[in-house]
Amino acid sequence: LFLGFLVIWLLLYGLFGDVDERLDEVEYLAGDISVADLALYPFVALRKPLLEGREPLTNLSRWVDVMAERPGVAKGMAAFS
């Protein structure tokens, strides 16, 4: 069970690292806000606590903050509360 969790965590952290690198080049995943941002945001936002205390993903953190400020995103995320 632990090994499975570790593998999933490593894959997830790798994905977050790839997204962080992309966001170093652009404000949103496709340059302008797109369905890619809207689809990925809940996945990242709900797992953000897994990243606390790890190597900083500054671009990903910035993107999460920018996305969270959007009224439509906040309204959609209220469904998870």
Side-chain angles (χ1 to χ4, degrees), residues 51-66:
L51 299 176
E52 293 174 3
R54 305 287 186 252
E55 180 180 327
L57 299 171
T58 54
N59 300 308
L60 184 63
S61 294
R62 174 198 49 80
W63 175 81
V64 167
D65 294 341
V66 167

Side-chain angles (χ1 to χ4, degrees), residues 8 11 14 17-18 21 29 33 38-39 45 49 51 55 59-60 73-74 79:
I8 291 171
L11 290 171
D18 292 343
E21 286 181 24
L29 294 172
I33 192 162
L38 299 174
L51 299 176
E55 180 180 327
N59 300 308
L60 184 63
V73 171

Side-chain angles (χ1 to χ4, degrees), residues 22-23 25-34 36-37 62-63:
R22 172 65 180 152
L23 291 170
E25 303 166 5
V26 293
E27 185 174 0
Y28 296 102
L29 294 172
D32 294 325
I33 192 162
S34 70
D37 298 286
R62 174 198 49 80
W63 175 81

